[in-house]
Amino acid sequence: MFRKTIGVVALVALLLSAGAAVAQQPEKGPQSKNITELMHAPFQIAGQQVTGTDFAFRGNLVVAGSYQGLGIFKITPGAPYLKELGTLACAGGQGDVSIWGHLVFFSVDATLSGPSCDTKDTATASNTDQAQSNAWEGVRIIDISDPSRPQEVSSVYTACGSHTNTLYPDGKNVYLYIQSYPLGGQGQKCNASNHSYTSVVKVPLNNPEAAKVVSTPSTGQTIGCHDVTVVPARHLAFAACITESQVWDIKDPENPKIIAHIYNPAINIHHSTAMTWDGKVLALGDEFAGAEGVDACEGNSLSTTGAMWYYDVSDPTNPTLLGHESLPRMGAPDQVCTTHNFNIIPMRDPKKYLVVSAYYTGGLSVTDFSDPANPKEYAYAQPDGVNMWSVYWYNGRLYTSGEDGMLRVYELAGTGAQDTYYFKGNTNPQTQINSFR
């Protein structure tokens, strides 16, 4: 059912790339009455539409990752809502991003000819170099002191690349927990029999060129991890490691120690994690079939396929299952529809838990899991023909990206400044710091 959004959106022009104006019309597709589309517009780098991946935030800046590089946008109070400040063409999947101060950390999970953003390095490595483990993949470090001219300052090679990265701040340094797993064509150093570890990269903030891998702690019987969420105040990390999830003690950030395992035969792919802000409940997403399965959204909230799961982790050494919910709406026929990237909204009401997640062709869904045994959908938007990858709440708005190369911004009723705590400073969805204003 088509729902009308605010009239001004249909009249504004959004400047996102090379001065091109894109007229905005509300998108068609079902959505709940408590969510409003503010904008949707192409995300382009060097004049080309991108495949959007992830976000990081700092103050009024949004850093958007993609397979083709990154974009830096300024949040504005009204139309155009996001204004492009600069982009960096730097091809190489995956494009997961984290931010700390003027530094952005960009994940590369593709075998390239070299580490730089030069065209010669961003080409796919030869079959010979891949077979001999001479290709490059890992993390690029980007300086955005001048958002209009982001510059690569360093890079760190990591075995099996960097599918995602999670930032842990520690005074004069930040640590990056690099998550990866064996993909095709990554050479002798990367295969399912020897990749049961994560890479820890130490970055001196006053000398990022000296960043390096300082440890490769074991992840046990897994083949690497996908996403890790850190809670610095508790010195804990919650890792989704494909076949299981884990709780890590990170008091010594260079040497995480596994203190608990979460095994659940109903979860197909342990993909993402997020914590409630009181530290009591873990949300754990199942990316059914690793985004290769279709028709995972069955329109049945009781289904276990591609669902969101909730665990009591008030005792982190003993996670206890509380409940789950699958998307109560159908996704597009014969298309991917499963949980993906999400975060938990910091509500002022300590008894109210809301999580917002992308569901590929299921669009975005906001779930109220205040009673984790009986979670209920709170809001949704499902634009026709859209494949949403990431959805995050940040200071009163929802920001989304995905495979169609569009940036979307929504406003969700009941999550304004009077209802929620707003973030300040560096905000990475997988680095849960209680830094609010």
Side-chain angles (χ1 to χ4, degrees), residues 12-17 20-24 39-42 80-83 407:
V12 301
L14 175 66
L15 297 179
L16 272 179
S17 179
V22 182
Q24 296 295 287
M39 60 145 276
H40 66 278
Y81 301 106
L82 283 179
K83 180 181 179 182
L407 295 175

Side-chain angles (χ1 to χ4, degrees), residues 66 92-98 105-110 136 138-140 161-166 177-179:
S66 79
Q94 180 78 21
D96 190 62
V97 288
S98 296
F105 307 96
F106 183 96
S107 288
V108 177
D109 197 16
W136 185 88
V139 177
R140 295 186 177 117
S162 174
H163 196 76
T164 59
N165 73 81
T166 296
Y177 294 118
I178 305 302
Q179 294 93 58

Side-chain angles (χ1 to χ4, degrees), residues 218-221 244-249 256-261:
S218 172
T219 54
Q221 299 302 309
E244 65 177 78
S245 287
Q246 301 173 351
V247 185
W248 299 348
D249 179 330
K257 292 181 171 56
I258 301 170
I259 59 173
H261 299 262

